[in-house]
């Protein structure tokens, strides 16, 4: 595990995007194509924006994403499909393909089809955010570390719902859907490289718990520390509750 800290989320996003582009370009050079998983949410704004500005042959890149609410129309401002369509896909018309998590209609069939697609070839790079409750994707605590499924249907916990309200995606907790489709912990860990971009003071407690605990289903993000090629990008706000001894490779 490598840890890098930045003064702010803009610097963090730019550096993470540059590192991501280098990984994608290396894979394209080696095998003529690349596959990426993207996260969504307010914490990912800067990295997603910066990534669209990188020099990558996007015609050779397939995109997947982590999760989506069940029965939330793509027109809703909280839809992760809408988020990525507007902030990534529409800005890269040459993108080879975008595989969206679809929470409409026959959810089981949608999961089966998406599983078939993601398991055709390995994921080269996954950008995995960490939630205020330390979830990764919608694997809320206590997370399922045992399943070998690629995607599954989950119930969202109250802390997760409250984060969505605080970020402005919903007016109240009652408006947040109870269920979502999420990429599993197992599938996330199959990615060759994982980069986690976790800025903002709202994530400070999650980052503190990430560092201070061993692998723990109640702090789902701790499982990322077991991955062979994992880098954590944080800023001074998200690092503000964490003991300095954990913060190696400090970037000024």
């Amino acid at each position: 595990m490598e840890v890098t800290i930045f003064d702010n989320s803009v610097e963090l996003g730019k550096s993470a995007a540059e590192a991501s582009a280098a990984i994608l370009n290396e894979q394209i050079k080696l095998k003529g194509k690349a596959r990426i998983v993207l996260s969504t949410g307010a914490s990912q704004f800067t990295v997603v924006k910066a990534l669209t500005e990188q020099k990558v042959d996007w015609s050779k890149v397939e995109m997947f994403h982590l999760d989506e609410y069940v029965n939330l129309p793509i027109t809703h401002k909280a839809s992760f499909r809408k988020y990525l369509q507007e902030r990534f896909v529409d800005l890269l018309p040459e993108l080879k393909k975008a595989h969206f998590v679809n929470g409409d209609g026959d959810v089981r069939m949608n999961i089966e089809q998406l599983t078939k697609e993601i398991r055709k070839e390995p994921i080269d790079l996954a950008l995995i955010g960490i939630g205020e409750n330390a979830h990764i994707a919608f694997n809320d605590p206590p997370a399922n570390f045992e399943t070998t499924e690629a995607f599954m249907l989950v119930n969202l916990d109250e802390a997760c719902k409250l984060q969505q309200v605080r970020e402005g995606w919903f007016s109240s907790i009652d408006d947040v859907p109870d269920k979502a489709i999420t990429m599993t912990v197992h599938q996330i860990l199959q990615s060759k490289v994982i980069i986690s971009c976790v800025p903002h003071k709202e994530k400070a407690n999650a980052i503190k718990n990430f560092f201070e605990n061993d692998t723990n289903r109640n702090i789902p993000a701790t499982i990322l520390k077991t991955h062979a090629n994992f880098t954590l990008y944080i800023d001074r706000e998200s690092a503000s509750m964490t003991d300095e001894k954990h913060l190696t490779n400090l970037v000024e």
Side-chain angles (χ1 to χ4, degrees):
M1 179 178 75
E2 295 184 10
V3 182
T4 310
I5 182 170
F6 296 84
D7 282 335
N8 55 63
S9 63
V10 175
E11 292 179 6
L12 183 158
K14 182 175 184 294
S15 181
E18 289 172 351
S20 297
I23 292 166
L24 295 174
N25 286 330
E26 180 183 15
Q27 292 302 311
I28 291 169
K29 183 178 179 180
L30 286 172
K31 60 183 183 180
K33 55 189 172 181
R35 307 180 107 204
I36 187 172
V37 168
L38 294 181
S39 295
T40 53
S43 65
Q44 305 302 301
F45 284 157
T46 59
V47 65
V48 171
K49 181 178 185 297
L51 188 56
T52 64
E53 298 167 353
Q54 299 301 306
K55 291 183 178 180
V56 174
D57 185 351
W58 294 106
S59 69
K60 294 180 170 62
V61 178
E62 290 184 76
M63 184 214 79
F64 292 83
H65 69 114
L66 289 172
D67 43 28
E68 180 61 286
Y69 300 102
V70 170
N71 293 328
L72 187 76
I74 194 171
T75 53
H76 194 287
K77 67 179 180 178
S79 166
F80 297 135
R81 289 170 292 169
K82 177 181 175 65
Y83 178 114
L84 288 169
Q85 185 71 48
E86 295 178 347
R87 291 178 171 84
F88 191 77
V89 177
D90 286 349
L91 302 180
L92 300 169
E94 69 273 32
L95 185 70
K96 180 179 180 180
K97 193 166 186 179
H99 302 273
F100 287 116
V101 180
N102 185 0
D104 299 330
D106 189 332
V107 171
R108 300 290 180 184
M109 181 178 293
N110 295 344
I111 289 175
E112 288 178 8
Q113 292 175 344
L114 192 56
T115 296
K116 182 179 179 181
E117 289 297 328
I118 202 168
R119 288 188 166 167
K120 285 181 178 178
E121 296 178 78
I123 295 297
D124 298 300
L125 171 65
L127 297 179
I128 306 297
I130 296 175
E132 292 177 22
N133 65 354
H135 72 198
I136 50 176
F138 270 144
N139 296 288
D140 289 332
N144 186 336
F145 285 178
E146 290 74 38
T147 183
T148 57
E149 296 297 315
F151 292 87
M152 65 181 182
L153 192 63
V154 293
N155 296 313
L156 303 182
D157 73 8
E158 184 173 351
C160 175
K161 290 182 177 182
L162 286 171
Q163 178 181 334
Q164 312 311 314
V165 174
R166 280 194 295 271
E167 290 186 359
W169 304 110
F170 297 94
S171 298
S172 72
I173 193 169
D174 293 333
D175 295 327
V176 184
D178 293 323
K179 294 183 181 295
I181 300 169
T182 185
M183 186 180 291
T184 64
V185 171
H186 170 80
Q187 184 62 44
I188 289 170
L189 293 177
Q190 304 312 301
S191 307
K192 293 179 183 178
V193 180
I194 297 177
I195 291 176
S196 286
C197 298
V198 195
H200 306 150
K201 63 182 179 180
E202 293 82 2
K203 303 295 180 76
N205 190 60
I207 292 302
K208 177 178 184 291
N209 287 332
F210 169 86
F211 280 111
E212 293 183 354
N213 291 273
D214 294 329
T215 303
N216 185 336
R217 295 172 65 243
N218 292 313
I219 308 170
T222 54
I223 196 71
L224 297 174
K225 293 189 282 189
T226 69
H227 192 271
N229 196 341
F230 168 63
T231 303
L232 177 66
Y233 287 71
I234 51 181
D235 67 2
R236 296 196 181 279
E237 289 187 346
S238 60
S240 61
M241 295 176 65
T242 300
D243 192 302
E244 188 71 20
K245 68 184 180 182
H246 296 300
L247 305 178
T248 59
N249 194 25
L250 184 66
V251 171
E252 299 292 348

